[in-house]
Every structure is written in C-alpha cells, then in structure tokens.
C-alpha cells in the first residue's frame, strides 16, 4: 500500500483499512476528484490510498501522530482556535477544586497537571488570561500538599525565571501586565512550599531567582523615568508584596545568606523603601493610594523594613565587605535623604509595623555611625 498505517496510531483505532493503506492529513490537503479522474487513478495504482478527513478543527493545528492523548489542552498550539472549550473545561476544573474529593483527584491526575503545565509554558499574549487561571489552579494545590512535589516546585521556579526574562526584554504593556500577574502567583506558590516541601537546593534556587526579580523591578522603577513611577499599578504592588513576604522566610537561615544578602540586593531594598516612603517632594516617590493597591505597597514596605533591619548587624557588614552607611550613601541622590524617608515613615505611620521597622533601622544606623 501507499499509506502509513491500518487506521490505528499508538494503539488508538480511528478507522478500518488494510495494512499500509491509511494516512492522516489536514483538511486543506483534501481535494475532491471527478469520477473520471478517480477511475483513471485506480487504473494506475495497485491499491487505493484511503484519505481520512479530520472532522474537527482541533486537529488542523497538529498531526494526530504527534499528539499525546493526555495533553488535554494541546489544541492551544493552534493559532486559529477560539479556546472556548478549553476555557470552559478550566472553569469546570476550578469549580471542582473547591471540593476536597475532587481536588484530591485532580492533584493526583498527571494528565491534568501535565496539561496545565504545557499551557503555562506557552508564550502567547492571546493566552495570558487562560494561563493565569491555569497557574492559579496549580498554586491553589500548593496549599493542600502532604508531601514534596518536585514537579510543582520546578514549574513555579521556571515561571519566575522565564517571566523575569520577559519583563527584561518586552515592551508590550499587555504582555507585561499578565507577566507580572503570573510572577505574583508563582512567588506565592513558592512561598507556600518553601518551609515544608522544598529541599536545600530548591530553597537556594527559589531565593536566588526571587531576589533577581526584586532587584530588576526595584531598580527599573527607581532609575527609570518619573513617568514609570507615576504609572506604577496595583499589580506592581502585589508582586512586591509577594516577593518581600517571601524574603522574610530567609531570616535565620544562614545557608541562604549568600543567596540573598548582597550589595546589589541591599541597595535595591533601600531604593524600594525610598520610593514607597510617601515623601512627595522626592523625585523617586511612587504615588500610592488605597484604591490602587496601597495596602500591598504598604505591606511590602513593612516587610522590607523588617528584613533589612534584622540583617543590619555587624556580621552582615562583614559578609558584605562594606558598611550600611556606605551602601546608603551610594544609593542616595542627596545626603541624608534615606534618613529623611525613615523619619517620615516613623512619624506618618505611627504604631504600625512600618513605623516600628523604620525606628529600629534609624536606631541601628545611629549606632553604626558612632562606631
């Protein structure tokens, strides 16, 4: 025969025909022949090649031979599909995940997990909303784990690494927004797994990639044009909140000191504090309102002050090879501007964690200055 199979591929039977007489092809490759042409063709051929028309549009995008049955959303590779079925399917899975028996079944079904991972790893702005929901479902699973899950840890870390690169090179505002949403979700998932379900290497990797992301975000805002700071959004506040909350987990873990305590990271933390301090007279100021995610920015500020204050000890200075006074001076655009920010936070936010953290840092900087 002139075909490739007998109507079966990888053990799945699609139609009946003789051995080596069946092939699969795309719809646009199928052409209608007049009867005379068919008769002439039959006289020239010893056997007829049976052509099967693929009935559904989902198979137009890829060969069935290359499609894994367990890839539930493999059709998303198509560029001319409206994804309605996939979106409805995911909505159903999200509904199921609220029920413990259904959620447990989903978490233990590799086909579901692999399908969502395949979707998350695609790079298409058209799928951004769908990918965020798929990632959100995986992140929700991290709240219900009973043992380490290497696959979940890997996909969360991979999302942070790959999407950080997207932030660094893309100028597409729509893509940047969805990328930040995915990064916030991924960091949240890493935070859920960090203490109980990550080994030492995974903890080190997650802290390193999170600190790289923080440095890029803080520095691009601080050093960029004022218009960029004025355009800072709730999504930016959420991702800073997730990152700063994650960094607090490193406190007291000496093994992670090298992964996060660096001149670059400490400098970026100082820059973020100055931007979020609320001093309108400063050019680096980011206008923060409660309606635009102010609670996230303020929480991130509290976390940064707490983390930096806890690490403001002589041992850290010895490790960094420089003093905190010198680091502050390198960041400041004018003398004592960082101290002004801390004093403003201490006075304006009286009684909350930001105020307390600012006062602690002021006291420590004064002690270091006197030694």
């Amino acid at each position: 025969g002139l075909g490739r199979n007998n109507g079966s591929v990888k053990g799945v039977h699609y139609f009946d025909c003789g051995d080596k007489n069946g092939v699969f092809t795309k719809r646009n490759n199928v052409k209608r022949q007049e009867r005379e042409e068919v008769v002439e063709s039959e006289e020239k051929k010893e056997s007829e090649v049976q052509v099967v028309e693929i009935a559904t549009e989902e198979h137009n995008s890829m060969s069935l031979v290359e499609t894994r049955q367990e890839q539930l959303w493999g059709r998303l590779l198509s560029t001319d599909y409206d994804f309605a079925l996939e979106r409805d399917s995911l909505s159903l899975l999200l509904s199921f995940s609220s029920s413990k028996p259904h959620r447990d079944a989903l978490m233990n079904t590799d086909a579901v997990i692999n399908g969502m991972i395949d979707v998350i790893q695609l790079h298409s702005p058209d799928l951004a909303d769908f990918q965020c929901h798929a990632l959100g479902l995986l992140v929700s699973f991290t709240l219900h784990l009973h043992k380490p899950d290497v696959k979940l840890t890997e996909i969360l870390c991979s999302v942070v690494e790959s999407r950080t690169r997207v932030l660094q090179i893309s100028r597409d505002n729509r893509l940047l927004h969805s990328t930040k949403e995915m990064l916030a979700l991924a960091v949240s998932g890493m935070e859920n797994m960090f203490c109980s379900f990550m080994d030492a290497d995974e903890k080190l990797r997650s802290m390193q990639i999170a600190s790289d992301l923080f440095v890029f975000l803080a520095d691009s805002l601080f050093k960029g044009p004022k218009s960029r700071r004025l355009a800072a959004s709730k999504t930016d506040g959420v991702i800073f909140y997730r990152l700063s909350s994650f960094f607090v987990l490193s406190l007291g873990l000496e093994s992670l000191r090298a992964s996060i305590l660096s001149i670059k990271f400490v400098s970026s933390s100082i820059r973020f504090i100055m931007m979020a301090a609320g001093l309108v007279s400063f050019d680096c100021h980011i206008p923060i309102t409660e309606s635009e995610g102010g609670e996230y920015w303020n929480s991130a500020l509290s976390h940064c002050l707490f983390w930096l204050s806890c690490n403001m000890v002589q041992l850290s200075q010895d490790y960094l090879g420089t003093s905190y006074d010198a680091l502050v001076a390198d960041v400041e655009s004018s003398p004592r501007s960082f101290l002004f920010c801390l004093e403003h936070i201490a006075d304006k936010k009286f009684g909350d964690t930001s105020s307390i953290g600012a006062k602690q840092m002021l006291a420590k900087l004064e002690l270091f200055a006197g030694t």
Side-chain angles (χ1 to χ4, degrees), residues 219-265:
D219 288 5
S220 62
L221 276 176
F222 188 88
K223 298 178 181 179
K226 186 174 183 178
S227 58
R228 187 176 298 173
R229 292 186 289 278
L230 292 175
S233 65
K234 177 180 179 179
T235 304
D236 294 302
V238 171
I239 194 170
F240 274 118
Y241 162 70
R242 292 298 183 189
L243 286 167
S244 59
S245 177
F246 186 56
F247 297 143
V248 171
L249 298 179
S250 70
L251 293 174
L253 299 175
E254 184 63 28
S255 60
L256 294 177
R257 183 178 294 271
S259 69
I260 191 170
L261 188 61
S262 65
I263 291 176
K264 184 165 59 174
F265 183 79

Side-chain angles (χ1 to χ4, degrees), residues 43-74:
E43 291 175 350
K44 292 181 179 180
K45 299 178 182 178
E46 293 182 357
S47 62
E48 178 182 359
V49 178
Q50 181 173 3
V51 178
V52 178
E53 179 177 323
I54 306 302
T56 55
E57 289 185 11
E58 68 213 64
H59 294 96
N60 286 335
S61 61
M62 64 182 77
S63 167
L64 280 174
V65 178
E66 299 172 346
T67 304
R68 294 182 293 115
Q69 282 183 289
E70 65 271 18
Q71 189 176 355
L72 300 183
W73 290 292

Side-chain angles (χ1 to χ4, degrees), residues 114-135:
N114 292 337
M116 285 189 287
I117 289 175
D118 287 338
V119 171
I120 292 167
Q121 291 177 329
L122 296 175
H123 290 279
S124 172
D126 294 332
L127 301 178
D129 181 61
F130 186 84
Q131 289 174 311
C132 285
H133 286 302
L135 181 58

Side-chain angles (χ1 to χ4, degrees), residues 195-322:
C195 293
S196 302
F197 302 115
M198 285 189 184
D199 61 27
D201 290 337
E202 290 169 336
K203 288 180 178 180
L204 181 61
R205 178 189 177 190
S206 63
M207 277 292 167
Q208 287 175 334
I209 60 180
S211 62
D212 288 343
L213 173 59
F214 179 86
V215 168
F216 171 75
L217 289 171
D219 288 5
S220 62
L221 276 176
F222 188 88
K223 298 178 181 179
K226 186 174 183 178
S227 58
R228 187 176 298 173
R229 292 186 289 278
L230 292 175
S233 65
K234 177 180 179 179
T235 304
D236 294 302
V238 171
I239 194 170
F240 274 118
Y241 162 70
R242 292 298 183 189
L243 286 167
S244 59
S245 177
F246 186 56
F247 297 143
V248 171
L249 298 179
S250 70
L251 293 174
L253 299 175
E254 184 63 28
S255 60
L256 294 177
R257 183 178 294 271
S259 69
I260 191 170
L261 188 61
S262 65
I263 291 176
K264 184 165 59 174
F265 183 79
V266 171
S267 298
S268 296
S269 298
I270 294 171
R271 293 185 181 105
F272 177 80
I273 291 170
M274 293 181 69
M275 288 189 292
L279 270 174
V280 181
S281 59
F282 278 31
D283 185 64
C284 66
H285 167 68
I286 291 179
I288 299 171
T289 62
E290 291 301 320
S291 61
E292 290 297 326
E295 67 273 21
Y296 292 104
W297 286 96
N298 289 328
S299 295
L301 175 62
S302 297
H303 289 149
C304 280
L305 287 165
F306 178 66
W307 181 90
L308 195 56
S309 177
C310 288
N311 279 285
M312 199 168 281
V313 294
Q314 187 60 50
L315 181 63
S316 296
Q317 292 190 140
D318 294 342
Y319 181 83
L320 292 169
T322 186

